[in-house]
Amino acid sequence: MMSAHTTNAPVLGALRPEGMFTHFMHMFALYRQRRDLARLDDRALRDIGVSRYEAEVESTRPIWDVPHHWMD
């Protein structure tokens, strides 16, 4: 039986070698941004309009869960 679950995981085999480096750099930047988001205090989160819950959800997403436009 097929699962209805979908993922945003990129298909790395479809990337050209020169695009893979850029892709991994974007993924590393996303990792750092999510890590930094998790470290913000409640005042900083209020300043950017993000709740503690939203920050926790975003910061715990797996590294391969990337925006869809990265896979184009």
Side-chain angles (χ1 to χ4, degrees):
M1 180 173 196
M2 259 179 98
S3 170
H5 177 74
T6 61
T7 181
N8 290 341
V11 179
L12 294 179
L15 294 174
R16 293 182 310 275
E18 61 274 9
M20 288 183 71
F21 177 75
T22 301
H23 181 76
F24 285 121
M25 292 304 296
H26 284 272
M27 287 179 70
F28 184 67
L30 181 62
Y31 161 78
R32 286 192 329 248
Q33 292 168 16
R34 288 177 177 169
R35 181 195 62 202
D36 293 344
L37 180 64
R39 293 177 177 173
L40 293 177
D41 62 18
D42 289 335
R43 181 174 174 236
L45 290 172
R46 274 193 310 274
D47 285 347
I48 63 172
V50 175
S51 71
R52 171 62 55 197
Y53 175 77
E54 291 169 324
E56 288 177 7
V57 167
E58 181 63 27
S59 66
T60 58
R61 290 171 63 183
I63 190 64
W64 57 84
D65 190 1
V66 298
H68 285 292
H69 70 274
W70 285 17
M71 295 182 285
D72 295 335

